[in-house]
Amino acid sequence: MADAKVIPFDDDRSRGGAQRTPRRRPVPRRTGDAGSVTEVRTVPTAETVKTLPGRQGGPPDARREEERQRESARPRERAARPRGDWDRRVAGGLAFLRRRLTGEYEVDDFGYDEELTDQVLMSLLRPFYEKYFRVEVKGIENIPAQGGALIVANHSGTLPLDGLMMQVAVHDHHPQGRHLRLLAADLVFMLPVINELARKAGHTLACAEDAERLLERGELVGVMPEGFKGIGKPFSERYKLQRFGRGGFVSTALRTGSPIVPCSIVGAEEIYPMIGNAKTLARVLGFPYFPITPTFPWLGPLGAVPLPTKWTIQFGEPIATDGHPPEAAEDPMLMFNLTDQVREQIQHSLYKLLVQRRSVFF
């Protein structure tokens, strides 16, 4: 009879001396003579197989082959998923282009193009939001899930990037994916290209009539009452709120019964540290101010690149206005008190966020 095949196992010493060696059952190997035993070898018992670490039973070659097949299948599965995602993205992009070319898309009476905003404009802003400014959002739950609301924020940064980042924050972090309709200054709608992009993104003129219409439709409306006084203030006055105008936003909220959500933005003040203002040049160009920063205009176009500061956007608890009668919008004392309440809440949140901030850039 041919020699019995011996299945090798790990040496018992690899399991440590404290463990008892399982008893092995002797198996004789016989030669041609029926009664002679020429050699004795041992094979493991069932107890041995159970005590060996990492063994599940069954032929090792079969197990290794099965594991090898599973490992080789994983890269193919991982490669198939990105191809499927890429195919869907290409198909979606082609469908988007077809709709743009054929005119099968809708804009509202303000010029807002929701599809273009979602698929193009937000995609262009999102890398700045996530990677460059690394915006952290707090209190997003204070924005209503539905219905109109007025979000009032501080304004800073020399260029109005804070409004755009606030728009991305609401769209990407709100559970309902709501869109923020910003009220912009007249200058925005006088600039070529910027005018069209602002309209497509849902921005409209900062006037009470447009704000009322949007709030009555149940839209989220964003306003920055400091205006050019806030965005163009010198670096030495950073995070010090300027006057909130005459409180027109409060009057609009009272007429529509919409809650006011204070919003505090930290990080925008340092993107373009404004150390000077060329007022003569600003008058010639028709601008409210012409900023001078440590990099602009000295470095030319390179000086227009914002500094990569770390941002925090916090939405505070809403201030209800639906408890007041409609004629309360004409009460100057009530408007003053509500305006001061909103301003103080934003300023207090700014100070708290500044104390908690570890660094301007991290």
Side-chain angles (χ1 to χ4, degrees), residues 288-310:
Y289 56 89
F290 189 89
I292 297 176
T293 73
T295 58
F296 182 82
W298 325 114
L299 299 182
L302 187 61
V305 177
L307 297 178
T309 57
K310 176 75 170 62

Side-chain angles (χ1 to χ4, degrees), residues 156-177:
S156 62
T158 305
L159 291 180
L161 298 182
D162 49 0
L164 299 177
M165 295 300 105
M166 184 170 66
Q167 192 174 9
V168 179
V170 173
H171 179 271
D172 286 4
H173 291 273
H174 195 276
Q176 306 301 322

Side-chain angles (χ1 to χ4, degrees), residues 213-277:
R213 289 170 59 194
L214 288 172
L215 289 172
E216 288 172 350
R217 294 181 184 182
E219 300 279 1
L220 286 179
V221 179
V223 62
M224 295 173 166
E226 291 178 280
F228 290 123
K229 299 189 302 294
I231 196 174
K233 64 177 176 287
F235 187 67
S236 59
E237 298 180 13
R238 59 192 180 278
Y239 299 114
K240 295 178 182 178
L241 292 183
Q242 305 298 303
R243 191 171 62 88
F244 270 19
R246 300 177 181 177
F249 68 92
V250 171
S251 176
T252 302
L254 287 170
R255 286 193 182 95
T256 59
S258 304
I260 300 174
V261 180
C263 176
S264 303
I265 303 174
V266 166
E269 293 275 15
E270 294 90 0
I271 59 173
Y272 295 110
M274 186 169 165
I275 58 177
N277 180 13

